[in-house]
Amino acid sequence: MVRLAAVFTLACAGLAAAAPIRRPKVMKRAFALQDYAAFQISDGTAGNAQAEANAVFVDPFKGVDLSTVDSDTLDAVQTMREAAEDAETKQFNPAIKAASGDEADALQNGKIKNKVLKLTGEVQALQIQLAQAKASGKDTASIQSKITAEQKKLTTNIATDKKNAGAASKGVTGGAATNNAATASDDSTDASDNAAADDSAAASDDSTAAADNSTAAAGTSGSSVAFAVQDYSAFQISDGTAGNAEAQANAVFVDPFAGVDLATLDDSVAKNMETMRQAAESAETDKFNKQISAASGDAKTALQNGKIKNKVLKLTGEVQVLQIKLAKAKVAGSDTSDISSKITEEQKKLSTNIATDKKNAGQASKGVA
């Protein structure tokens, strides 16, 4: 769900093992500076903003000593938070004022979800600053005071979002907020010259036009969904721990379409999704397999767990693409037996790998981005 994102990789101080050994302070982790349209959470339904915002700003840092986060990564968090704030003031507010009825309600729900997103980014940036101040022996009173104030606002908006659970929510992707983040991304292109970006650059370049044409996909409710091509390193889920691959993969390929009639999606959405699925498949065949073969012990186990999570990611994308094709075929009155058969086949593989990932819950998992 992004335009091409510049990627910042947190320093890797070591690898946590599945066995009860001493855990290093920093785990390899990727944090991508994204355009607002790539990480916005307002489209869909209300009620799950906290988890969605955490997936953007908090989950990528699980297991990471925040005091070791580099300045580029902190800048990326703050830039994305500012993009969410711009979306609120420059897009949501005027759009809500001009709307009425269900449209206004959906935009208001989207604004609340965006507030949760913005404030989650703000609190996370402050938590990083707090950890770094403590590590340096500096006074932390001012930062702690800010965290308390922002957390109070965040808690209030999370409660409002949960109160509206199930109601339609509409975003405002595009415009000033997107351009602000894109400019910051352009300024940091040097940081994106990594192997993972190189792996999917060709596929991303081939589908740039498709991504530009797929910024909105209409659902039956009239809401829009943005889904643009990401570099593999921006959406990979293998770093961290095993056990939650299903939810993480759904956040990439399924959740953006909650409440949307898949039959109404523009053809470029499935094309962009397929490009990302292929990037995950390339990571498996070109990188995971080779690195697992060359590794041993705990490192090999972690890579194998990462490969399983990547399989869940890849197959989730595959099934979602097929579900879109199925929905369109049904509306067109076309025969769906072949597509249904493929879905059954791919879903079986997906279920097997999800079960394996859950079996390994809590173990270290390592990616190849």
Side-chain angles (χ1 to χ4, degrees):
M1 205 173 64
V2 258
R3 311 240 187 247
L4 295 182
V7 177
F8 295 92
T9 303
L10 301 180
C12 178
L15 175 65
I21 64 173
R22 191 171 178 181
R23 185 181 295 273
K25 294 178 72 174
V26 184
M27 297 170 65
K28 186 175 183 293
R29 192 79 52 164
F31 188 86
L33 176 62
Q34 305 176 43
D35 284 340
Y36 175 71
F39 68 90
Q40 66 90 15
I41 64 172
S42 295
D43 285 308
T45 56
N48 58 344
Q50 183 178 17
E52 291 177 303
N54 282 345
V56 175
F57 288 118
V58 179
D59 295 350
F61 298 94
K62 282 183 178 178
V64 172
D65 180 354
L66 296 184
S67 68
T68 66
V69 173
D70 62 38
S71 59
D72 285 339
T73 299
L74 177 57
D75 286 345
V77 172
Q78 292 172 324
T79 296
M80 289 166 62
R81 181 206 65 78
E82 289 168 0
E85 184 170 4
D86 283 348
E88 178 183 338
T89 59
K90 298 178 182 179
Q91 298 193 74
F92 272 109
N93 290 347
I96 291 171
K97 185 176 181 180
S100 61
D102 292 341
E103 177 81 2
D105 290 341
L107 283 166
Q108 183 61 40
N109 291 338
K111 178 181 175 180
I112 293 297
K113 294 189 72 171
N114 187 71
K115 280 180 173 286
V116 173
L117 179 67
K118 173 190 71 174
L119 291 165
T120 299
E122 176 69 14
V123 170
Q124 182 70 341
L126 288 169
Q127 292 288 5
I128 293 171
Q129 292 171 344
L130 177 65
Q132 294 176 341
K134 285 182 177 179
S136 301
K138 297 179 180 178
D139 179 66
T140 61
S142 176
I143 300 176
Q144 288 175 324
S145 177
K146 290 180 182 178
I147 288 175
T148 299
E150 296 305 309
Q151 184 62 54
K152 183 178 180 180
K153 298 176 188 176
L154 175 57
T155 301
T156 298
N157 282 281
I158 288 173
T160 302
D161 175 66
K162 289 182 177 179
K163 180 182 176 181
N164 298 330
S169 177
K170 184 175 182 180
V172 291
T173 52
T178 298
N179 293 335
N180 286 345
T183 300
S185 177
D186 290 340
D187 289 341
S188 60
T189 51
D190 287 345
S192 66
D193 292 335
N194 52 56
D198 291 341
D199 283 345
S200 58
S204 297
D205 289 341
D206 289 342
S207 56
T208 298
D212 289 340
N213 291 330
S214 66
T215 54
T220 54
S221 66
S223 63
S224 62
V225 175
F227 194 91
V229 177
Q230 300 183 47
D231 285 338
Y232 173 71
S233 54
F235 70 91
Q236 66 90 16
I237 64 172
S238 294
D239 284 310
T241 55
N244 58 346
E246 181 178 17
Q248 291 177 306
N250 282 344
V252 175
F253 288 119
V254 179
D255 295 348
F257 304 97
V260 174
D261 180 358
L262 298 182
T264 66
L265 293 174
D266 185 84
D267 289 342
S268 59
V269 172
K271 181 178 179 180
N272 293 346
M273 192 177 296
E274 175 61 18
T275 295
M276 290 167 62
R277 184 205 66 77
Q278 290 173 358
E281 184 171 9
S282 293
E284 177 183 338
T285 58
D286 298 342
K287 302 185 110 179
F288 272 110
N289 290 346
K290 294 178 181 178
Q291 291 191 26
I292 290 171
S293 179
S296 61
D298 293 336
K300 186 169 187 174
T301 299
L303 282 165
Q304 184 61 44
N305 290 340
K307 178 181 175 180
I308 293 298
K309 294 189 73 171
N310 187 71
K311 280 179 172 287
V312 173
L313 179 67
K314 174 190 71 174
L315 290 164
T316 299
E318 175 70 15
V319 170
Q320 183 71 335
V321 169
L322 290 169
Q323 291 288 5
I324 293 172
K325 291 179 179 179
L326 179 64
K328 289 179 177 291
K330 285 181 177 179
V331 169
S334 303
D335 177 63
T336 61
S337 57
D338 185 50
I339 301 176
S340 296
S341 177
K342 288 181 181 178
I343 289 175
T344 300
E345 180 182 350
E346 297 305 311
Q347 184 62 54
K348 183 177 180 180
K349 298 176 187 176
L350 174 58
S351 297
T352 297
N353 282 281
I354 288 173
T356 302
D357 175 67
K358 289 182 177 178
K359 179 181 176 182
N360 299 330
Q363 294 183 17
S365 175
K366 183 177 181 181
V368 292

